Short mmCIF file of all heavy atoms in Angstrom, two decimals:
data_model
loop_
_atom_site.label_atom_id
_atom_site.label_comp_id
_atom_site.label_asym_id
_atom_site.label_seq_id
_atom_site.Cartn_x
_atom_site.Cartn_y
_atom_site.Cartn_z
N TRP D 1 161.47 247.95 18.37
CA TRP D 1 161.78 247.65 16.84
C TRP D 1 162.46 246.26 16.77
O TRP D 1 163.26 245.86 17.54
CB TRP D 1 162.82 248.67 16.30
CG TRP D 1 162.27 250.08 16.36
CD1 TRP D 1 162.48 250.95 17.37
CD2 TRP D 1 161.40 250.66 15.47
NE1 TRP D 1 161.72 252.11 17.08
CE2 TRP D 1 161.05 251.99 15.89
CE3 TRP D 1 160.86 250.32 14.26
CZ2 TRP D 1 160.28 252.95 15.21
CZ3 TRP D 1 160.01 251.14 13.44
CH2 TRP D 1 159.75 252.45 14.00
N VAL D 2 161.90 245.55 15.70
CA VAL D 2 162.38 244.08 15.53
C VAL D 2 163.67 244.07 14.81
O VAL D 2 164.59 243.25 15.21
CB VAL D 2 161.26 243.29 14.86
CG1 VAL D 2 161.74 241.88 14.57
CG2 VAL D 2 159.97 243.33 15.63
N CYS D 3 163.80 244.70 13.68
CA CYS D 3 165.00 244.76 12.98
C CYS D 3 165.53 243.32 12.52
O CYS D 3 166.70 242.91 12.79
CB CYS D 3 166.18 245.50 13.69
SG CYS D 3 165.90 247.31 14.08
N GLU D 4 164.69 242.66 11.76
CA GLU D 4 165.08 241.33 11.27
C GLU D 4 166.39 241.36 10.44
O GLU D 4 167.14 240.36 10.41
CB GLU D 4 163.92 240.69 10.45
CG GLU D 4 162.63 240.55 11.22
CD GLU D 4 161.71 241.66 10.93
OE1 GLU D 4 162.08 242.76 11.03
OE2 GLU D 4 160.53 241.39 10.65
N HIS D 5 166.60 242.48 9.77
CA HIS D 5 167.82 242.64 8.97
C HIS D 5 169.06 242.50 9.72
O HIS D 5 170.11 242.29 9.10
CB HIS D 5 167.66 243.89 8.08
CG HIS D 5 167.85 245.12 8.86
ND1 HIS D 5 166.89 245.64 9.68
CD2 HIS D 5 168.91 245.92 9.02
CE1 HIS D 5 167.28 246.75 10.34
NE2 HIS D 5 168.52 246.97 9.91
N ARG D 6 168.99 242.81 11.00
CA ARG D 6 170.19 242.66 11.84
C ARG D 6 170.33 241.35 12.54
O ARG D 6 171.30 241.13 13.24
CB ARG D 6 170.06 243.73 12.96
CG ARG D 6 170.56 245.15 12.51
CD ARG D 6 170.32 246.15 13.67
NE ARG D 6 171.09 247.46 13.22
CZ ARG D 6 172.24 247.77 13.71
NH1 ARG D 6 172.92 246.95 14.52
NH2 ARG D 6 172.75 248.93 13.33
N TRP D 7 169.34 240.42 12.42
CA TRP D 7 169.51 239.09 12.92
C TRP D 7 170.72 238.40 12.31
O TRP D 7 170.95 238.41 11.09
CB TRP D 7 168.25 238.26 12.70
CG TRP D 7 167.02 238.76 13.52
CD1 TRP D 7 167.05 239.78 14.43
CD2 TRP D 7 165.70 238.09 13.45
NE1 TRP D 7 165.73 239.89 14.92
CE2 TRP D 7 164.91 238.87 14.29
CE3 TRP D 7 165.11 237.06 12.79
CZ2 TRP D 7 163.60 238.56 14.53
CZ3 TRP D 7 163.87 236.76 12.96
CH2 TRP D 7 163.03 237.54 13.94
N ARG D 8 171.53 237.72 13.20
CA ARG D 8 172.74 237.15 12.77
C ARG D 8 172.61 236.15 11.55
O ARG D 8 173.37 236.09 10.62
CB ARG D 8 173.36 236.39 13.91
CG ARG D 8 174.65 235.67 13.59
CD ARG D 8 175.32 235.02 14.88
NE ARG D 8 174.18 234.16 15.53
CZ ARG D 8 174.06 232.89 15.20
NH1 ARG D 8 174.73 232.36 14.13
NH2 ARG D 8 173.21 232.16 15.79
N GLN D 9 171.46 235.42 11.55
CA GLN D 9 171.25 234.36 10.56
C GLN D 9 170.93 235.05 9.18
O GLN D 9 170.96 234.45 8.16
CB GLN D 9 170.14 233.42 10.91
CG GLN D 9 170.46 232.60 12.17
CD GLN D 9 170.23 233.35 13.50
OE1 GLN D 9 169.86 234.52 13.53
NE2 GLN D 9 170.31 232.54 14.58
N ILE D 10 170.38 236.36 9.21
CA ILE D 10 169.99 237.01 8.00
C ILE D 10 171.07 237.91 7.51
O ILE D 10 171.28 237.96 6.25
CB ILE D 10 168.65 237.82 8.31
CG1 ILE D 10 167.55 236.91 8.58
CG2 ILE D 10 168.37 238.85 7.23
CD1 ILE D 10 166.18 237.57 8.86
N SER D 11 171.85 238.53 8.30
CA SER D 11 173.08 239.24 7.94
C SER D 11 174.27 238.87 8.70
O SER D 11 174.71 239.54 9.58
CB SER D 11 172.81 240.71 8.05
OG SER D 11 173.82 241.48 7.49
N PRO D 12 174.84 237.66 8.45
CA PRO D 12 175.77 237.08 9.35
C PRO D 12 177.20 237.59 9.13
O PRO D 12 178.05 237.29 9.98
CB PRO D 12 175.64 235.58 9.04
CG PRO D 12 175.34 235.64 7.57
CD PRO D 12 174.46 236.77 7.35
N SER D 13 177.56 238.25 8.06
CA SER D 13 178.91 238.45 7.75
C SER D 13 179.26 239.91 7.79
O SER D 13 178.65 240.77 7.16
CB SER D 13 179.18 237.97 6.36
OG SER D 13 180.45 238.39 5.90
N PRO D 14 180.36 240.37 8.44
CA PRO D 14 180.79 241.75 8.52
C PRO D 14 181.25 242.20 7.20
O PRO D 14 181.35 243.40 7.01
CB PRO D 14 181.87 241.75 9.63
CG PRO D 14 182.33 240.31 9.60
CD PRO D 14 181.17 239.48 9.34
N THR D 15 181.51 241.35 6.29
CA THR D 15 181.89 241.76 4.88
C THR D 15 180.77 241.71 3.93
O THR D 15 180.95 241.82 2.83
CB THR D 15 182.97 240.76 4.45
OG1 THR D 15 182.55 239.43 4.52
CG2 THR D 15 184.30 240.97 5.33
N GLY D 16 179.54 241.52 4.41
CA GLY D 16 178.46 241.54 3.50
C GLY D 16 177.66 240.29 3.47
O GLY D 16 177.82 239.53 2.52
N GLY D 17 176.71 240.02 4.38
CA GLY D 17 175.93 238.84 4.42
C GLY D 17 175.00 238.70 3.24
O GLY D 17 174.48 237.55 2.93
N THR D 18 174.66 239.75 2.56
CA THR D 18 173.77 239.69 1.42
C THR D 18 174.30 240.02 0.08
O THR D 18 173.72 240.34 -0.88
CB THR D 18 172.62 240.72 1.73
OG1 THR D 18 173.16 242.03 1.81
CG2 THR D 18 171.79 240.32 2.95
N THR D 19 175.79 239.91 0.03
CA THR D 19 176.39 240.22 -1.19
C THR D 19 176.23 239.08 -2.30
O THR D 19 175.81 238.02 -1.85
CB THR D 19 177.92 240.38 -1.03
OG1 THR D 19 178.38 239.20 -0.55
CG2 THR D 19 178.18 241.57 -0.06
N ALA D 20 176.40 239.40 -3.50
CA ALA D 20 176.21 238.47 -4.59
C ALA D 20 176.99 237.19 -4.36
O ALA D 20 176.53 236.05 -4.56
CB ALA D 20 176.58 238.99 -5.96
N ALA D 21 178.29 237.31 -3.92
CA ALA D 21 179.10 236.14 -3.78
C ALA D 21 178.51 235.20 -2.72
O ALA D 21 178.44 234.04 -2.87
CB ALA D 21 180.57 236.54 -3.36
N THR D 22 178.08 235.86 -1.60
CA THR D 22 177.48 235.05 -0.50
C THR D 22 176.25 234.33 -0.93
O THR D 22 175.96 233.17 -0.66
CB THR D 22 177.29 235.91 0.69
OG1 THR D 22 178.45 236.48 1.14
CG2 THR D 22 176.70 235.06 1.90
N ARG D 23 175.38 235.03 -1.72
CA ARG D 23 174.24 234.44 -2.20
C ARG D 23 174.49 233.25 -3.12
O ARG D 23 173.88 232.21 -2.94
CB ARG D 23 173.39 235.35 -3.02
CG ARG D 23 172.50 236.33 -2.19
CD ARG D 23 171.58 237.20 -3.11
NE ARG D 23 170.59 236.50 -3.73
CZ ARG D 23 169.84 236.93 -4.74
NH1 ARG D 23 169.97 238.08 -5.17
NH2 ARG D 23 168.89 236.19 -5.18
N TRP D 24 175.45 233.29 -3.96
CA TRP D 24 175.69 232.24 -4.97
C TRP D 24 176.41 231.07 -4.26
O TRP D 24 176.15 229.87 -4.52
CB TRP D 24 176.46 232.74 -6.17
CG TRP D 24 175.70 233.46 -7.13
CD1 TRP D 24 175.39 234.87 -7.12
CD2 TRP D 24 174.80 232.97 -8.13
NE1 TRP D 24 174.54 235.14 -8.04
CE2 TRP D 24 174.11 234.09 -8.79
CE3 TRP D 24 174.61 231.66 -8.66
CZ2 TRP D 24 173.35 233.86 -9.84
CZ3 TRP D 24 173.76 231.45 -9.63
CH2 TRP D 24 173.11 232.51 -10.28
N ARG D 25 177.24 231.38 -3.33
CA ARG D 25 177.95 230.24 -2.52
C ARG D 25 176.80 229.50 -1.76
O ARG D 25 176.80 228.23 -1.68
CB ARG D 25 178.93 230.85 -1.56
CG ARG D 25 180.30 231.17 -2.22
CD ARG D 25 181.32 231.28 -1.19
NE ARG D 25 181.05 232.21 -0.10
CZ ARG D 25 181.35 233.42 -0.18
NH1 ARG D 25 181.95 233.98 -1.23
NH2 ARG D 25 181.08 234.17 0.88
N SER D 26 175.95 230.23 -1.14
CA SER D 26 174.83 229.63 -0.35
C SER D 26 173.98 228.80 -1.29
O SER D 26 173.32 227.78 -0.90
CB SER D 26 174.10 230.60 0.42
OG SER D 26 175.01 231.36 1.37
N ALA D 27 173.84 229.25 -2.46
CA ALA D 27 172.91 228.65 -3.47
C ALA D 27 173.32 227.26 -3.77
O ALA D 27 172.52 226.32 -3.81
CB ALA D 27 172.77 229.38 -4.76
N GLU D 28 174.68 226.96 -3.76
CA GLU D 28 175.07 225.63 -4.08
C GLU D 28 174.79 224.73 -2.87
O GLU D 28 174.44 223.60 -3.10
CB GLU D 28 176.62 225.66 -4.27
CG GLU D 28 177.06 226.49 -5.48
CD GLU D 28 176.41 225.93 -6.70
OE1 GLU D 28 176.42 224.66 -6.92
OE2 GLU D 28 175.88 226.71 -7.49
N ALA D 29 174.89 225.22 -1.59
CA ALA D 29 174.48 224.46 -0.43
C ALA D 29 173.03 224.17 -0.47
O ALA D 29 172.61 223.02 -0.16
CB ALA D 29 174.88 225.19 0.84
N ILE D 30 172.18 225.13 -0.91
CA ILE D 30 170.76 224.91 -0.98
C ILE D 30 170.44 223.75 -1.96
O ILE D 30 169.67 222.93 -1.68
CB ILE D 30 170.07 226.25 -1.37
CG1 ILE D 30 170.10 227.26 -0.23
CG2 ILE D 30 168.57 225.81 -1.68
CD1 ILE D 30 169.31 226.83 1.05
N LYS D 31 171.13 223.87 -3.05
CA LYS D 31 170.84 222.88 -4.17
C LYS D 31 171.22 221.46 -3.66
O LYS D 31 170.52 220.47 -3.88
CB LYS D 31 171.55 223.20 -5.42
CG LYS D 31 171.03 224.35 -6.16
CD LYS D 31 171.97 224.75 -7.30
CE LYS D 31 171.59 225.96 -7.99
NZ LYS D 31 172.51 226.41 -9.06
#
């Protein structure tokens, strides 16, 4: 099993790597 969702770069945070706050903070860096 590959389990990409467990890759550190995809779900890096024990408090929620895919939460809304993380997405929007990262969005500023992307911009």
Side-chain angles (χ1 to χ4, degrees):
W1 299 94
V2 179
C3 297
E4 298 96 313
H5 68 284
R6 279 176 167 262
W7 290 1
R8 177 178 55 83
Q9 297 85 349
I10 290 176
S11 184
S13 169
T15 58
T18 57
T19 61
T22 303
R23 277 185 73 191
W24 283 93
R25 282 200 304 271
S26 300
E28 294 306 311
I30 290 290
K31 290 175 183 176

